[in-house]
Amino acid sequence: MSRYWSPIVSRLSPYVAGEQPRIQNLVKLNTNENPYGPSPKAIAALQAAADDALRLYPDPSATALREAIAVRFGVQSDQVFVGNGSDEVLAHTFQALLKHDKPLLYPDITYSFYPTYSRLYDIDVVEIPLDEGFRVRLSDYDRRPCGAIIIPNPNAPTGIGLAVMDIEALAAAHPDVPVVVDEAYIDFGGETAAGLIGRYPNLLVIQTLSKSRSLAGMRVGFALGQRHLIDALERVKDSFNSYPLDRLAQAAATAAIEDAEWFETCRQKIIATRDRVSGELQTMGFDVLPSQANFVFTRHPALSGAEVYSALRAQGVLVRHWNKPRIEDYLRISIGTDAECDRLLEVLKTLATAG
Ligand code: PMP
């Protein structure tokens, strides 16, 4: 606290990102990064872009990237907005589309940046509890006044997804308010709602290149929606930073989007490892929520979340734990390589047997 702070800064509760420690040989399964590198074509494009042209500002509209995304999703390039990570796209969305007279609705257990943005932009919120199985129950969203809705699909940190027809039903049930679907983890088993944007003027779909395209270090995310929604995001962006994506990020992201083959191979490897890890955890007595993401959310009935987190950490395996009601005994474990997951399972086996 300082008397020089503005009142809004004093009231903020900043998001706490997962640790990025510099410990040698750490098995890092705490921030849902992709264990496989980005497309070699993305690296080559990045290297090619590292030239004298860096003295010039980048394309403020990221035209080539937006066109590549439009082709990939079968939409028009003016239906695509890009930003510095999907966190920035989300931040602009909160400000541009989610602040209204009636409250914004989102699940009580969800991406913890949502409460942070709501505070930053002073947005009135109602958190809708997940059901006993940690599922989003869409009928709960119909029963109260609402100015906008945001839901991650699959949800984080549960990993549980909704079917695309459920997203459609949600958009259809709330035609007068923006409905935003945060699809950060959609490529690991869900079905994107991108194909619905033509029919639902209230639907905005947000994705990231950080997870399924292994570019967390590049910071690129995007939104798909009808022109009036994209316009709102552009108005905020152009009141904030004209060049959120530098030349290198634009080049790498465009090549990554175009390399469908690399994308497919990596995501299939992660899905296979996730299903194996889920099965082995269950065999050891862990409860595992059915995940459609590149992580699993799990607990052991006889061990506290804090206990398992610390024991794993002591053995050089880093996972994510939240000291929050309902989920304090759960751990979110990102899916790494098979070797990393084997190390995780080895440590957990000793704990589960001892417990
Ligand atoms: N949405 C969800 C649900 C996430 O878990 C994350 C990653 N922390 C993001 C968005 C943001 O990802 P990025 O900013 O790397 O695109």
Side-chain angles (χ1 to χ4, degrees), residues 15 85-87 90 111 114 152 156 182 184-185 208 210-211 219-221:
Y15 174 76
S86 62
D87 280 339
L90 283 165
Y111 184 29
Y114 298 171
D182 176 356
Y185 302 104
T208 176
S210 297
K211 319 289 178 181
R219 311 306 299 128
V220 185

Side-chain angles (χ1 to χ4, degrees), residues 31 37 44 58 107 120 151 209 243 262 275 285 292-293 301 334 338 340:
T31 47
L120 176 64
I151 295 183
L209 276 75
Y243 310 104
W262 184 268
D275 292 348
Q292 292 189 322
S334 308
D338 278 303
E340 287 172 324

Side-chain angles (χ1 to χ4, degrees), residues 136-304:
V136 170
R137 189 164 43 206
L138 289 177
S139 55
D140 293 348
Y141 290 73
D142 297 343
R143 298 205 193 104
R144 41 178 81 248
C146 103
I149 299 173
I150 181 165
I151 295 183
N153 188 37
N155 195 12
T158 63
I160 298 179
L162 289 165
V164 75
M165 56 194 275
D166 294 325
I167 300 297
E168 178 160 18
L170 183 70
H174 300 272
D176 299 327
V177 308
V179 172
V180 179
V181 189
D182 176 356
E183 295 188 338
Y185 302 104
I186 197 72
D187 296 321
F188 303 105
E191 191 188 342
T192 179
L196 299 176
I197 65 161
R199 273 179 288 141
Y200 294 92
N202 57 333
L203 182 65
L204 188 78
V205 174
I206 297 181
Q207 290 200 6
T208 176
L209 276 75
S210 297
K211 319 289 178 181
S212 54
R213 291 186 177 78
S214 313
L215 283 176
M218 227 49 266
R219 311 306 299 128
V220 185
F222 59 93
L224 307 172
Q226 289 190 15
R227 189 60 216 157
H228 53 269
L229 302 180
I230 300 302
D231 244 340
L233 298 176
E234 281 173 1
R235 288 170 73 92
V236 171
K237 173 226 163 208
D238 289 324
S239 308
F240 180 75
N241 178 2
S242 310
Y243 310 104
L245 290 187
D246 60 52
R247 285 175 172 270
L248 305 183
Q250 291 187 33
T254 307
I257 291 282
E258 286 169 351
D259 194 348
E261 201 181 316
W262 184 268
F263 162 77
E264 200 50 40
T265 310
C266 286
R267 80 185 182 104
Q268 291 303 345
K269 279 200 276 193
I270 289 165
I271 291 170
T273 307
R274 176 195 67 210
D275 292 348
R276 175 174 76 86
V277 169
S278 301
E280 294 199 22
L281 286 171
Q282 277 165 325
T283 309
M284 285 181 218
F286 282 83
D287 299 328
V288 187
L289 299 190
S291 171
Q292 292 189 322
N294 66 339
F295 55 83
V296 291
F297 204 49
T298 184
R299 74 166 170 197
H300 192 282
L303 301 166
S304 79

